[in-house]
Amino acid sequence: MSVVGDIAGIFKRDRWLFLACNVFLFGTFIAGVLAGTAYPGVHDTAAAFVERAASSGPISTAEHTLRSGNILLGTWQIFANNSFITIVIAALPSLLFPPWILFVFGSQFFLFGVVYAGPRALENPVLLLPLLGTLLLEGEGYVIAIFAAMRLIEALVWPGRFGERNPLRAYVAAVVDNAKLLVVAVAVLAVAALYEAASIVLVLGPGK
């Protein structure tokens, strides 16, 4: 079976798990929106935290690049940052402790929800285009990474689903699948980075 066919087969066999991963990530975002709306003080604190975090490091670098109108370089900077978080901070530690990835991306999307909650997000509707598109595309890349990690738990609990009786052998098979799925996740993150960079420059214009 080709690699593409193998990856398609993984999604088909575990489509309900993949759906559950989508519900988890975007559900945490909705929960964050509700929390930020219900508690404006929490929203203000979270927004201030994100603003401070964005004032330095990779996010700040990408922001300055996009202000100059350089879409390609901005795309690379966004992609490099998101890929590093996905692979190094989330996916690799999850090989030893799969639930870790739920904490990494769950807390991130909950924070996003809190920050973008309430009427402030609607003050400039034009901003919603890059925001929502990026949220969906980037989020789907993270969902695929979560899906790959959750299949590691599945392998230990139900090794027969991986054609093995031994949970350890099933786990090894799941790790191989994990690598294939992470390639897909990174590809989606590349598309998300291009969308984010292009939409920010084209919608807001350079220098904004």
Side-chain angles (χ1 to χ4, degrees):
M1 182 181 295
S2 66
V3 174
V4 174
D6 193 16
I7 293 173
I10 293 172
F11 282 106
K12 184 177 180 180
R13 286 193 303 271
D14 280 331
R15 56 187 177 276
W16 293 111
L17 177 60
F18 181 62
L19 176 61
C21 293
N22 274 277
V23 171
F24 164 77
L25 189 65
F26 294 111
T28 57
F29 176 80
I30 294 173
V33 170
L34 295 176
T37 302
Y39 303 100
V42 174
H43 163 78
D44 294 341
T45 300
F49 170 78
V50 171
E51 186 175 352
R52 287 195 301 270
S55 64
S56 62
I59 298 177
S60 176
T61 301
E63 182 181 351
H64 289 306
T65 299
L66 294 176
R67 284 181 177 177
S68 72
N70 193 328
I71 294 178
L72 292 181
L73 180 57
T75 296
W76 166 250
Q77 291 169 341
I78 294 169
F79 169 72
N81 179 63
N82 292 342
S83 296
F84 178 83
I85 292 173
T86 300
I87 296 174
V88 178
I89 296 179
L92 289 180
S94 295
L95 292 176
L96 299 177
F97 184 63
W100 169 251
I101 203 167
L102 297 176
F103 171 76
V104 172
F105 291 132
S107 59
Q108 179 178 339
F109 264 57
F110 182 82
L111 180 62
F112 285 168
V114 172
V115 170
Y116 294 111
R120 291 187 180 181
L122 301 176
E123 288 178 357
N124 189 351
V126 175
L127 294 176
L128 292 179
L129 180 62
L131 169 63
L132 294 178
T134 299
L135 179 74
L136 292 173
L137 286 171
E138 187 177 307
E140 205 56 43
Y142 298 152
V143 164
I144 295 172
I146 293 171
F147 173 62
M150 292 303 96
R151 293 183 79 250
L152 299 174
I153 297 177
E154 182 184 15
L156 293 175
V157 179
W158 297 288
R161 295 184 182 179
F162 292 79
E164 301 286 350
R165 292 184 178 181
N166 188 316
L168 182 58
R169 290 183 178 179
Y171 190 85
V172 172
V175 169
V176 174
D177 289 346
N178 187 302
K180 298 174 184 176
L181 291 171
L182 284 178
V183 171
V184 179
V186 168
V188 174
L189 290 177
V191 175
L194 177 59
Y195 175 88
E196 181 177 0
S199 62
I200 289 175
V201 173
L202 297 178
V203 173
L204 299 182
K208 300 294 183 62

